[in-house]
Amino acid sequence: MVPFVFPLQTYYLYKMGPFEHPWWYTVLIASMHIVGYWMFDTANSQKDYFRERKGEEVPKGFPRLPWDELHDPKYIPTERGTKLLISGWWKYARHMNYTGDLLMSWAWGLICGTSSYFPFAYTTYLTPLLLHRERRDDRD
């Protein structure tokens, strides 16, 4: 289902024709998307580096953004014997990568305007999915 949901905003803009936003709105939405991508990418990179096992290469993504690697990460041990990261983005919330994901999905919908629900279908799908994952992860 997800591959069919990603292009919905582009399809909406194609069918509805060109329209313009005020410059400040476009800058606001573009900034929202850039911040969301930065949060998503760097939070996932911090998690990847933290989980790195000795002798294994951390998967290289494109691009590696600033603040992607923690050099002396802090953690707390859990009852299951795992380590819970409490440095970087992870000191603010357990799932900052989800926050970045949601910011990007809202930006994709909002750039299409607010006259239709259609551009927000992905956001409507993603929000409950990530909330469920977050609750599931906290339960385990």
Side-chain angles (χ1 to χ4, degrees):
M1 178 171 150
V2 173
F4 301 106
V5 177
F6 282 135
L8 288 179
Q9 292 86 2
T10 304
Y11 182 73
Y12 177 81
L13 292 173
Y14 169 74
K15 291 303 265 182
M16 297 307 292
F19 61 93
E20 291 187 27
H21 295 297
W23 69 268
W24 58 266
Y25 185 81
T26 304
V27 169
L28 178 71
I29 299 303
S31 299
M32 185 176 170
H33 184 268
I34 290 167
V35 168
Y37 181 77
W38 181 58
M39 288 173 71
F40 171 79
D41 186 72
T42 54
N44 279 322
S45 293
Q46 290 172 3
K47 180 179 61 171
D48 289 343
Y49 280 113
F50 180 68
R51 289 183 175 172
E52 176 185 6
R53 293 170 181 84
K54 298 299 176 202
E56 289 186 22
E57 181 78 15
V58 173
K60 299 293 183 205
F62 175 80
R64 286 292 181 173
L65 299 174
W67 208 42
D68 70 338
E69 187 174 357
L70 301 172
H71 297 287
D72 190 24
K74 293 177 178 53
Y75 63 89
I76 55 176
T78 65
E79 292 178 6
R80 294 186 304 165
T82 59
K83 299 174 183 175
L84 182 62
L85 181 61
I86 57 170
S87 295
W89 284 115
W90 304 91
K91 69 182 169 188
Y92 301 111
R94 293 264 323 261
H95 298 284
M96 287 303 286
N97 52 336
Y98 293 174
T99 304
D101 236 347
L102 289 170
L103 278 173
M104 289 188 295
S105 74
W106 276 101
W108 298 338
L110 288 170
I111 201 64
C112 297
T114 57
S115 61
S116 173
Y117 163 78
F118 191 74
F120 296 94
Y122 176 64
T123 304
T124 304
Y125 161 76
L126 186 66
T127 302
L129 173 81
L130 294 181
L131 287 172
H132 174 264
R133 272 192 200 167
E134 182 269 335
R135 291 201 171 55
R136 180 200 64 198
D137 291 351
D138 285 345
R139 185 178 55 235
D140 292 341

